[in-house]
Amino acid sequence: MSHEEILKGLFDETLVGNAPAVLELTNKGIADGMDPSSILFDALIPALEEVGARFERGDFFVPEMLISGKAMSGALNVLRPLLAQTGAESVGTFLMGTVKGDVHDIGKNLVNIMLEGAGFTVIDIGVQVAPEKFVAAINEHKPDIVGMSAFLTTTMPMFKVNIHEINKAGLRDQVIIMVGGAPVTQEYADVVGADGYAADASSAVKVAKDLLAKRRAAV
Ligand code: B1M
């Protein structure tokens, strides 16, 4: 099987949510010396974009989204150690969660993988994270950066609620706050009072590093 065929197979099987085939092709690609980033960016992510487009058109429903998501997550487990390989000392601690009311986690997990690859210690507090859980986790882990993901227009307002609660707990000055997720924009991040926003996992790493460097230079 050529690398092109593996990529095409990965796209097609992720689209139909055939998790065993996606896992097998991912393992085959890696064993064959393929670049893990190519598997991710040239096959898996485009497949989920297509799933989203079909859902919008009414050709796919929630169960189809779910099985495609599961197939993608299985492949991410294989890619995680390869994408996150780093021998470096921790550059900082990043606390990450998907906001309350939102169960999407693939994008969040991908950001985590990239951050780990860039040397961050990542503490993932999961999905549907309530404001009080963010506050408790900040007290417990004392992160440099708090990252919040929201993937639905209906859950984006939770950023503002979370930031308000972090403020009320007297912790706002101690952490940098970053937000992201498919419907989020820089303008929205500014409105809710976040310190940073990124559109995708690789820019999230860059923004996190820049914000941390600025904060450290200021103190
Ligand atoms: Co949902 N879903 N979903 N879904 N789902 C979307 C998000 C949607 C865009 C589909 C569509 O209509 N085209 C739509 C949202 C519309 C909107 O509000 N704008 C949608 C909907 C409507 C819903 C439900 C409401 C459907 C229903 O029940 N009627 C429901 C909501 C459930 C809930 O959360 N309460 C729902 C459910 C689900 C499943 C559970 C079935 C499943 C999730 C599985 C899982 O995550 N474990 C699912 C899936 C798979 C999708 C799509 C198809 C794929 C999402 C994904 O993983 N993308 C999605 C369509 C799409 O995205 N095109 C869709 C790949 C991922 C790598 O990209 O998530 O954008 P992304 O993450 C990026 C960036 O956003 C960024 O970096 C990531 C990596 O590059 N990023 C950050 C993310 N977090 C960041 C944080 C940062 C910085 C950057 O700093 C802190």
Side-chain angles (χ1 to χ4, degrees):
M1 226 177 171
S2 72
H3 290 182
E4 281 296 298
E5 285 166 333
I6 292 177
L7 288 176
K8 167 134 191 9
L10 277 167
F11 179 92
D12 292 343
E13 301 297 354
T14 306
L15 196 56
V16 297
N18 184 351
V22 173
L23 198 59
E24 196 187 321
L25 284 165
T26 303
N27 283 323
K28 185 166 175 37
I30 297 300
D32 242 43
M34 282 178 77
D35 178 359
S37 306
S38 166
I39 292 178
L40 187 60
F41 294 111
D42 299 333
L44 301 175
I45 291 182
L48 278 202
E49 278 165 3
E50 179 57 24
V51 171
R54 291 188 186 193
F55 178 76
E56 264 174 37
R57 290 200 303 266
D59 296 335
F60 270 17
F61 298 95
V62 174
E64 281 97 343
M65 279 209 292
L66 191 59
I67 56 170
S68 293
K70 282 203 170 138
M72 163 98 173
S73 295
L76 267 191
N77 287 338
V78 174
L79 298 178
R80 176 183 284 271
L82 303 167
L83 292 166
Q85 256 167 14
T86 168
E89 248 179 63
S90 177
V91 298
T93 303
F94 201 110
L95 180 81
M96 182 76 153
T98 297
V99 300
K100 186 174 173 181
D102 202 321
V103 302
H104 295 85
D105 68 354
I106 297 169
K108 166 183 71 62
N109 296 344
L110 195 50
V111 173
N112 289 347
I113 291 173
M114 296 296 187
L115 286 166
E116 281 167 8
F120 279 92
T121 301
V122 176
I123 295 153
D124 184 352
I125 52 172
V127 297
Q128 303 236 52
V129 179
E132 56 275 17
K133 192 168 170 192
F134 271 109
V135 169
I138 295 169
N139 278 319
E140 184 185 349
H141 300 287
K142 315 245 175 304
D144 299 292
I145 308 181
V146 177
M148 302 172 193
S149 296
F151 302 93
L152 300 166
T153 43
T154 48
T155 56
M156 282 163 59
M158 284 312 296
F159 290 149
K160 196 164 184 177
V161 178
N162 291 338
I163 293 172
H164 176 73
E165 288 302 312
I166 291 168
N167 216 348
K168 224 170 75 184
L171 298 168
R172 182 66 185 92
D173 292 343
Q174 294 171 36
V175 290
I176 294 165
I177 297 182
M178 270 182 72
V179 295
V184 185
T185 60
Q186 179 67 59
E187 291 67 34
Y188 194 79
D190 293 340
V191 167
V192 298
D195 301 308
Y197 155 80
D200 56 44
S202 31
S203 39
V205 169
K206 193 182 171 315
V207 173
K209 283 187 156 176
D210 288 353
L211 288 170
L212 199 52
K214 264 191 215 143
R215 170 69 59 103
R216 285 180 176 160
V219 289

